[in-house]
Amino acid sequence: MTTSTINTAETLNSDLTETAARRWLTLVLAVALGVRLLVALGLGQCPPHIFDEKSYDEIAGSLATTSQFAEKSGRLTSLRPPLHPALLAGVYRCFGNHNYLAARLMQAILGMLTILPLYALAEAMFSRRVALLAAALFAIEPSLVGYTGLLLAETLFTLLLMLSCLLMQRLLTDGYFRWAVLLGMALGLAALTRSIMLPLVFPILLFLAWALRERKWPTRLALIATVGLACLAVVGPWIVRNTRLEGTLTTIDAIGGRNLMMGNYEHTPLTRSWHTISLHSGTDRSWEVVLQRASPEFARMTQGERDKLALRHGLKFILAHPGLSLERSCVKFFDFWQLERTLLGGLQRGWWGAHSKPTLVLVAVVTSGIQALLLLAAVFGIWTTRPRDMRMHWFIVLLIVLTATVHTIIFAHSRYRLPLLPLLL
């Protein structure tokens, strides 16, 4: 073997110095912020088009002007998790109500900041080179860039999810109680952003019972209890508020039951289950009309009570039609993992200005191509890579599997996969 070959092998196998890594990371952060600012400035004051965007904006506007978590009519609501509307409301108070440009600029910054916990986690699990590669891919991944221009909770939730993963890694490595407190708080904030995180907390605590098995039982139980109590301290006041408002136990929001029903009742379409909302709205097939026929008390129920009724109806239908429910879940599984559709659909409809057909085709090819390659690479990496601590490997796999499973059962849409992209990277 020649000297040059040996030197080349050593160069490929050696890691970056801390100084070089910091310089490259600064460049990646600049690129990430730059492309997201271009999206934000390009959309400017373009109003929200997606139903969830409009709902978040409506509640944020009420918070900014009246300090009430309420709908446009003024009626107090529990239909949405509170953190994202509260963040939007803070922007509106500072820069003017419904200042969509300011909100998009804020989200561009949040998207850029997500790189920091992603980099730190990848560095701890693998190396600085791997961390920089993951950060660079995150910086330019089309969906992660494009969604910063939408007034949806995914950008904030992705940041909090990555922060939770980093804190989990620190807890597993050091075992200090401060990491347990911070992890519980991060999980609580993530749950207040997207309610799917709350039912995942219990499996996460069970994972900790396994992952901390080298610790003595009293210490292990104390760490697990600390995580759970810190999470409860964050979400508890909101649960109390919602429960008092709705007259029944209501955790993060009062929409989970109806989502389960819309994905699992007699009029759910086999494909595109999320389309149930607009497909049957105003008809005798809508979930509300179906429940009205089943329960004369429906009109007098609170949002929380209706959500519980919808939950029972959906579960009853699943148990009564196991074959059809399994078929639907198979379809929803692939819906969850399908390539980006929201951004491409919005461009095609002209939500953000007119675009030529060649431009739309180019965007579709680039976006879908990058996502397909990343998903395939992630599947390959899950089975072939061995990080420094396999416990974090299994924790990431656990989050991916649990999130995909919950959405497969309930109501799958490709944008719900977005917060998992950094973990796949």
Side-chain angles (χ1 to χ4, degrees):
M1 184 180 292
T2 64
T3 304
S4 61
T5 304
I6 295 174
N7 290 338
T8 301
E10 290 176 350
T11 300
L12 290 173
N13 292 326
S14 63
D15 201 6
L16 292 172
T17 65
E18 184 176 353
T19 302
R22 285 182 178 178
R23 285 201 299 264
W24 282 108
L25 179 59
T26 301
L27 177 60
V28 169
L29 289 169
V31 171
L33 182 60
V35 294
R36 285 160 173 77
L37 289 178
L38 287 176
V39 171
L41 295 172
L43 294 178
Q45 279 295 106
C46 181
H49 293 279
I50 299 171
F51 179 81
D52 288 353
E53 279 189 295
K54 295 177 182 178
S55 179
Y56 286 127
D57 178 52
E58 186 178 291
I59 295 172
S62 174
L63 277 172
T65 55
T66 68
S67 299
Q68 297 291 322
F69 199 86
E71 299 171 342
K72 191 174 183 180
S73 63
R75 184 180 70 170
L76 296 178
T77 183
S78 301
L79 285 182
R80 298 291 176 182
L83 197 57
H84 180 59
L87 190 60
L88 288 177
V91 173
Y92 291 166
R93 282 189 174 182
C94 293
F95 301 100
N97 202 11
H98 305 296
N99 189 327
Y100 303 130
L101 174 59
R104 289 176 172 122
L105 292 173
M106 175 270 296
Q107 294 206 146
I109 295 173
L110 292 180
M112 180 268 293
L113 290 176
T114 306
I115 288 177
L116 297 177
L118 170 62
Y119 176 88
L121 179 62
E123 181 186 17
M125 292 179 65
F126 296 101
S127 67
R128 295 190 187 109
R129 288 183 184 275
V130 172
L132 277 173
L133 177 59
L137 291 171
F138 180 94
I140 61 172
E141 202 284 325
S143 293
L144 292 167
V145 174
Y147 268 85
T148 57
L150 305 181
L151 304 184
L152 295 169
E154 272 68 27
T155 298
L156 175 60
F157 182 71
T158 303
L159 171 60
L160 293 171
L161 183 64
M162 288 309 306
L163 183 60
S164 299
C165 290
L166 177 61
L167 291 169
M168 174 63 80
Q169 187 274 329
R170 296 294 192 260
L171 175 60
L172 295 180
T173 302
D174 299 335
Y176 295 146
F177 277 88
R178 67 171 179 269
W179 298 125
V181 173
L182 292 173
L183 173 59
M185 293 175 64
L187 291 173
L189 292 173
L192 291 177
T193 306
R194 287 276 314 275
S195 57
I196 188 176
M197 179 54 71
L198 190 61
L200 300 188
V201 171
F202 184 67
I204 289 173
L205 296 180
L206 289 179
F207 168 83
L208 275 173
W210 168 79
L212 295 173
R213 59 190 182 280
E214 76 280 359
R215 308 297 292 269
K216 294 182 179 180
W217 265 110
T219 304
R220 195 189 320 181
L221 290 175
L223 287 169
I224 294 170
T226 300
V227 174
L229 291 173
C231 180
L232 183 61
V234 172
V235 302
W238 187 249
I239 294 175
V240 171
R241 179 263 186 194
N242 284 349
T243 299
R244 293 178 62 183
L245 177 65
E246 304 301 337
T248 184
L249 178 62
T250 305
T251 54
I252 304 300
D253 56 39
I255 204 170
R258 68 188 66 187
N259 282 344
L260 178 100
M261 177 180 168
M262 284 188 287
N264 299 277
Y265 79 124
E266 49 267 41
H267 303 305
T268 302
L270 184 59
T271 60
R272 302 172 67 201
S273 60
W274 67 88
H275 192 45
T276 305
I277 303 173
S278 56
L279 184 65
H280 300 317
S281 180
T283 73
D284 61 356
R285 293 187 167 194
S286 72
W287 70 275
E288 293 175 300
V289 173
V290 170
L291 291 182
Q292 285 173 359
R293 290 198 296 261
S295 176
E297 302 295 321
F298 184 83
R300 294 187 292 275
M301 289 180 174
T302 65
Q303 292 172 336
E305 291 168 337
R306 292 179 179 183
D307 198 57
K308 290 286 179 19
L309 183 64
L311 176 65
R312 291 193 294 270
H313 188 96
L315 291 175
K316 183 178 178 180
F317 186 89
I318 291 173
L319 294 175
H321 304 85
L324 176 59
S325 299
L326 179 60
E327 183 181 7
R328 284 176 173 173
S329 291
C330 289
V331 174
K332 286 184 282 188
F333 176 82
F334 288 101
D335 284 342
F336 181 79
W337 291 109
Q338 70 179 323
L339 301 177
E340 174 57 44
R341 60 176 293 118
T342 301
L343 297 176
L344 298 178
L347 288 171
Q348 188 176 24
R349 293 184 181 94
W351 286 351
W352 308 298
H355 301 278
S356 65
K357 189 173 181 178
T359 300
L360 294 176
V361 171
L362 178 62
V363 172
V365 169
V366 171
T367 301
S368 300
I370 290 176
Q371 287 192 349
L373 289 173
L374 290 180
L375 288 174
L376 289 172
V379 172
F380 180 78
I382 284 173
W383 290 102
T384 61
T385 54
R386 288 296 178 268
R388 291 168 180 161
D389 188 343
M390 283 299 295
R391 294 175 299 176
M392 274 308 299
H393 174 83
W394 292 120
F395 179 68
I396 288 175
V397 171
L398 177 69
L399 283 181
I400 294 171
V401 170
L402 288 176
T403 304
T405 301
V406 171
H407 285 298
T408 293
I409 295 171
I410 298 178
F411 180 114
H413 192 286
S414 59
R415 76 175 168 93
Y416 299 147
R417 184 198 68 236
L418 192 76
L420 298 181
L421 288 184
L423 300 179
L424 296 172
L425 292 174

